[in-house]
Amino acid sequence: MKKLFVIVLCAFSCSAFAGFNPDNSNLKTIEQAEALPNHSTVMLEGYIVSQAKKKEFYFKDMQNKLIRLKIEDHIWHGLDVSPNTKVRIQGKIDKYLLKSHIEAYQIDKIN
């Protein structure tokens, strides 16, 4: 019984420390993301090309399509990017009438 308890405890604690490893098959273009239902989770690759407001930016995907991107301060984690830095954005699509934007949950540089 003790062995079973230790095995179960180890299984839960090991998975708690596992990092997120994105599955690139979930990668979308902006066009595909905009076709998804509101609040769908998306992963995009491209470039943050300009800043619109304090926490709002414009993101360009690999098909040169633009979308507004909201990034809260705590999401940056000290990451420094320029318009030439390729990034992977994970977040959700938010749709309002004729406009859409992505609310970012995570940003990673891509080499």
Side-chain angles (χ1 to χ4, degrees), residues 4 6 8 10 12 20 25 28-30 34 40 52 57-58 65 72 75 78-79 84 92 94 96-97 101-102 106 108:
L4 178 61
V6 170
V8 170
C10 182
F12 282 115
F20 178 71
S25 65
K28 304 283 186 227
T29 64
I30 291 172
E34 289 178 323
S40 294
F57 303 83
Y58 287 101
K65 183 154 170 103
E72 295 293 330
I75 301 298
L79 190 65
N84 298 320
K92 71 173 182 170
D94 278 333
Y96 299 99
L97 298 176
H101 73 267
I102 303 292
Q106 184 173 338
D108 297 303

Side-chain angles (χ1 to χ4, degrees), residues 1 11 14 19 22-23 29 35 37 40-42 44-45 50 63 70 76 86 89 104 106 108:
M1 183 67 173
C14 291
D23 178 5
T29 64
S40 294
T41 302
V42 296
L44 305 167
E45 287 184 0
S50 65
Q63 281 70 40
K70 291 180 83 174
W76 286 106
K86 189 173 180 182
I89 303 292
Q106 184 173 338
D108 297 303

Side-chain angles (χ1 to χ4, degrees), residues 33 38-44 55-57 59 67-75 88-96 100-107:
N38 196 25
H39 303 293
S40 294
T41 302
V42 296
M43 184 181 345
L44 305 167
K55 297 177 183 180
E56 293 181 11
F57 303 83
F59 178 83
I67 193 166
R68 195 166 47 103
L69 178 64
K70 291 180 83 174
I71 307 172
E72 295 293 330
D73 293 336
H74 68 278
I75 301 298
R88 177 179 294 128
I89 303 292
Q90 297 174 55
K92 71 173 182 170
I93 183 87
D94 278 333
K95 297 180 175 187
Y96 299 99
S100 298
H101 73 267
I102 303 292
E103 185 175 327
Y105 297 150
Q106 184 173 338
I107 303 171

